[in-house]
Amino acid sequence: NSELSSSELIRSERSNSGFKGVYKVSSGATPYYAKVYRKGTTVILGRYATAEEGARAYAATPEGIADLAARDAPPPPPQPQLPSNSELSSSELIRSERSNSGFKGVYKVSSGATPYYAKVYRKGTTVILGRYATAEEGARAYAATPEGIADLAARDAPPPPPQPQLPSNSELSSS
């Protein structure tokens, strides 16, 4: 990566040199040092006369190569967006007689600006969706989750066809 121009090196706003992994520590002939963190250990790459030299040393490490590849990689494809349930009216949200808010996954826990919280159970873990000013806001948050979408789909699905009636034991024994 010695062929990288100064503008192509990995920049960092957190480093006092402006380059990732390169820090100015003194004045003199070699005021910059470059380092990487590898398996929980700091590895000093050396001292350098300029920040760009240190940045080139960093860019030649496996960590620097990975950073350059990640920086230059195309952005990931957009994630599919869950459908917006903000257009659901209050009467269309998922009701629950067991919840003190009247909505599935939404509970009133206090007074104040945000007395309601919404949660789902996902793979045995409680996931708190947030706190809300109204129960309806919490219900809309719940309805936008995969669990809420499944609940809405199940609620709105047509009922299953009736099962054929089998003869009872008394009917079978009388024949």
Side-chain angles (χ1 to χ4, degrees):
N1 289 327
S2 60
E3 69 278 355
L4 292 174
S5 72
S6 177
S7 64
E8 294 174 309
L9 294 169
I10 303 163
R11 299 285 178 169
S12 171
E13 293 179 10
R14 292 179 15 205
S15 169
N16 64 2
S17 72
F19 294 102
K20 185 170 183 181
V22 180
Y23 303 89
K24 185 169 184 174
V25 293
S26 66
S27 58
T30 56
Y32 297 94
Y33 77 94
K35 69 179 181 178
V36 295
Y37 293 103
R38 192 172 288 152
K39 296 182 181 176
T41 302
T42 300
V43 178
I44 303 294
L45 303 174
R47 292 187 66 119
Y48 302 92
T50 67
E52 288 84 4
E53 288 178 43
R56 282 187 175 75
Y58 177 86
T61 66
E63 294 82 1
I65 292 166
D67 285 343
L68 285 167
R71 180 193 71 190
D72 298 337
Q79 295 297 312
Q81 295 296 312
L82 293 173
S84 169
N85 289 317
S86 60
E87 67 274 0
L88 292 174
S89 72
S90 180
S91 64
E92 293 173 307
L93 293 169
I94 304 163
R95 298 283 176 172
S96 171
E97 293 178 11
R98 293 191 303 173
S99 169
N100 63 2
S101 72
F103 294 102
K104 185 171 182 180
V106 180
Y107 305 88
K108 185 168 184 178
V109 293
S110 66
S111 59
T114 55
Y116 297 92
Y117 77 94
K119 68 180 180 178
V120 295
Y121 294 102
R122 191 172 288 154
K123 296 181 182 177
T125 301
T126 300
V127 178
I128 303 296
L129 304 174
R131 292 190 63 123
Y132 302 93
T134 67
E136 288 81 6
E137 286 178 52
R140 282 187 175 77
Y142 177 86
T145 66
E147 295 82 0
I149 292 167
D151 286 346
L152 284 168
R155 180 192 70 189
D156 298 339
Q163 296 295 317
Q165 293 296 320
L166 298 175
S168 68
N169 287 340
S170 61
E171 292 173 332
L172 290 174
S173 61
S174 65
S175 40

